[in-house]
Amino acid sequence: MTAPITPSFWSPALEGLEPYVPGEQPKTTEKLIKLNTNESPYPPSPRARAVLQEAGLAEKLRLYPDPESTELRKTIAAEFGLTADQVFVGNGSDEVLAHAFYSFFQRPEPLLYPDITYSFYPVYCQFYGIEPRTLPLREDFSITVEDYAIEGAGGVILPNPNAPTGRYLPLAEIEQLLKMHPERVVVIDEAYIDFGGDSAVKLIADYPNLLVIHTLSKSHALAGLRLGYAMGQAHLIEGLNRAKNSFNSYPIDGIAQRVATVAIADRSWLADNCGKVIATRERTCEELSKLGFEIVPSRANFIFAKPPKISAEALFQALRERNIIVRYFNKPRISEYLRISIGTDEEMDALIGACREVL
Ligand SMILES: *Cc1c(COP(=O)(O)O)cnc(C)c1O
C-alpha cells in the first residue's frame, strides 16, 4: 500500500524519479525455488561464517567502524596484485556504481552503454542528471565495440558478462574501448566475472581511465552482507573517496568488514563454489536446449533463454504457479526471454521438469 502522494513536501527532482525495481524477495522462501535474483544457491565460505562466532564481534558495534575499511582494502589489494590505494569499498556494488556515476559521468556529454543492460544504469543517470546514449546490441545480444567510437562521449559503462544476457566480451575488446576514450572513464562492472570470464583488473596498470567493479553478492554468496568494491589507479579511487566522504563516512559496518576480509581471502572456496555453479549451468543449458529453448551463451550464474511454443510471460506465470520464480522483463527486445538464476542441481531438475510439463 502506498501512502497518498503529498507532492508539496517533495523536492521537484523527486517527483520525476523512476526508481530501480529489484527482483521479488518473497517474505518466506519455504517450498519456493528462487531463481530470480542471481544469488548463490550455496552458503558462503565456512571461514567467513565462522567470523560471526568470534568473541567480541558484537561489542565492536559500540564504536564506529574503521571509516576506511583498511584491512579489507589491503586484503582485496593483495588478492589482485594491487595496492590499497587502488581499492575502494562500498555498501554493495550498487553504492560503488552510484559514486562512480557521480564522480566521473556528470558531464555535458552523454554516457555510453548498451541498450540491453543492467537496469540500474538509467536510474543513476536520471538521479545525477546524466544524459545516456544507448547503443544497440546485435541480434544475438553481442556488443559491437566499434559503435562506441563516438567523439565527445562522457564515459562508458558496461557489465562484463552483460546482464541480463550473460554474454561475455573478450578483454581485447575492452582494451579497444579504453583506447577509444583515453580522456574518459570506462567502468567495467564485473558482477559475474568469477563464473568464467577473464577480469579486466590486469589492465589497470596500463589504463588510467579503467575502473573495475566487483561484488560479493553473487560468486561469494554474500548478497545479504552488502559489499562491493572498485579497483583502478589511485587518482580514480581518490575521486570515489571524495564522493563517499561527502555522503556517508561509514558505509561498511564492522561486522561486514570482518566477514568480507575473510571471505575474499578464501580463494579455494570461491573456486569450488563457482565450479559447482558452472557445471550446473552447462547441464541446465543442455537440458533446456533439448526442450527447444534458445539459449544465449552464458558466462554468468544465470541463463537467458527463450522458450519454444509459449510466450516467456506465460511460462513465467506457469512456473510461478509451481512455486518456481524466475525473472521476466517486460521490455522491448527481451520480452520473449526469461532470466533463470542457477540453483542447486535438484532445483534445476525441478525447473527442467516443470518446463517439460508446461510445454
Ligand atoms: C547484482 C549486480 C550488481 C549489484 O550488486 P550488489 O553488490 O549486490 O549491489 C551490480 N551490477 C550488476 C551487473 C549486477 O548484476
Side-chain angles (χ1 to χ4, degrees):
M1 285 255 286
T2 42
I5 299 175
T6 52
S8 56
F9 294 134
W10 290 14
S11 313
L14 190 63
E15 284 178 44
L17 277 189
E18 283 174 61
Y20 176 76
V21 182
E24 184 187 349
Q25 295 295 346
K27 292 287 173 286
T28 160
T29 49
E30 225 182 310
K31 285 193 299 180
L32 209 63
I33 298 184
K34 190 174 179 305
L35 307 176
N36 68 332
T37 50
N38 301 343
E39 290 135 329
S40 169
Y42 307 110
S45 144
R47 289 192 205 168
R49 281 184 278 159
V51 170
L52 296 170
Q53 313 301 324
E54 272 177 13
L57 192 66
E59 279 77 70
K60 266 190 150 183
L61 296 178
R62 186 172 62 82
L63 302 176
Y64 281 108
D66 172 8
E68 286 161 10
S69 300
T70 313
E71 280 310 306
L72 174 54
R73 286 190 304 111
K74 278 189 190 163
T75 302
I76 296 168
E79 208 54 41
F80 290 93
L82 302 170
T83 51
D85 63 354
Q86 297 177 314
V87 178
F88 175 85
V89 297
N91 192 271
S93 61
D94 286 339
E95 187 184 81
V96 179
L97 285 165
H99 288 319
F101 273 66
Y102 179 88
S103 307
F104 309 124
F105 298 149
Q106 280 185 307
R107 301 172 173 282
E109 304 89 16
L111 172 66
L112 314 182
Y113 56 79
D115 64 337
I116 298 165
T117 194
Y118 186 37
S119 47
F120 227 133
Y121 301 163
V123 177
Y124 293 132
C125 280
Q126 197 191 15
F127 196 63
Y128 292 120
I130 297 161
E131 186 198 334
R133 169 138 180 216
T134 58
L135 299 161
L137 297 180
R138 295 190 188 100
E139 210 48 43
D140 66 358
F141 299 131
S142 58
I143 289 174
T144 314
V145 166
E146 293 71 32
D147 290 353
Y148 289 74
I150 289 172
E151 265 189 64
V156 179
I157 184 163
L158 39 98
N160 196 32
N162 197 7
T165 66
R167 260 198 186 274
Y168 173 72
L169 190 68
L171 280 195
E173 297 186 47
I174 302 270
E175 234 179 319
Q176 269 180 270
L177 287 172
L178 289 160
K179 287 180 178 153
M180 277 174 198
H181 301 282
E183 311 278 294
R184 291 292 175 256
V185 175
V186 174
V187 172
I188 307 298
D189 179 355
E190 293 188 334
Y192 302 103
I193 198 69
D194 296 327
F195 299 104
D198 199 3
S199 173
V201 166
K202 62 170 70 122
L203 303 177
I204 285 174
D206 293 327
Y207 294 93
N209 56 336
L210 170 63
L211 190 76
V212 180
I213 298 183
H214 284 190
T215 174
L216 299 198
S217 297
K218 279 67 185 241
S219 56
H220 283 86
L222 288 168
L225 192 73
R226 308 309 301 131
L227 202 291
Y229 54 99
M231 297 172 285
Q233 291 188 13
H235 58 269
L236 297 184
I237 301 307
E238 196 187 323
L240 292 172
N241 277 319
R242 255 184 198 237
K244 172 238 171 199
N245 288 321
S246 306
F247 184 78
N248 178 1
S249 322
Y250 304 105
I252 322 291
D253 68 71
I255 295 174
Q257 289 188 31
R258 277 292 298 145
V259 175
T261 301
V262 173
I264 285 178
D266 198 351
R267 250 189 240 191
S268 66
W269 178 89
L270 179 68
D272 281 356
N273 191 50
C274 294
K276 281 193 282 186
V277 171
I278 292 167
T280 306
R281 178 186 73 202
E282 295 309 305
R283 190 177 68 80
T284 306
C285 287
E286 248 171 66
E287 295 292 326
L288 291 179
S289 298
K290 280 190 218 155
L291 291 179
F293 281 78
E294 272 177 46
I295 298 171
V296 180
S298 170
R299 297 270 197 109
N301 67 341
F302 58 83
I303 52 180
F304 202 52
K306 181 179 175 189
K309 298 181 216 160
I310 65 168
S311 71
E313 192 175 13
L315 180 57
F316 168 80
Q317 290 298 350
L319 292 172
R320 192 77 183 74
E321 281 156 24
R322 287 163 177 78
N323 290 324
I324 301 174
I325 334 185
V326 299
R327 192 91 194 256
Y328 169 68
F329 301 92
N330 192 5
K331 286 186 185 170
R333 294 188 70 191
I334 56 170
S335 61
E336 281 316 314
Y337 287 78
L338 293 179
R339 192 195 68 190
I340 305 167
S341 307
I342 301 302
T344 62
D345 278 311
E346 297 72 47
E347 288 173 327
M348 300 324 274
D349 284 341
L351 168 90
I352 294 157
C355 288
R356 193 176 288 128
E357 198 181 293
V358 174
L359 298 169

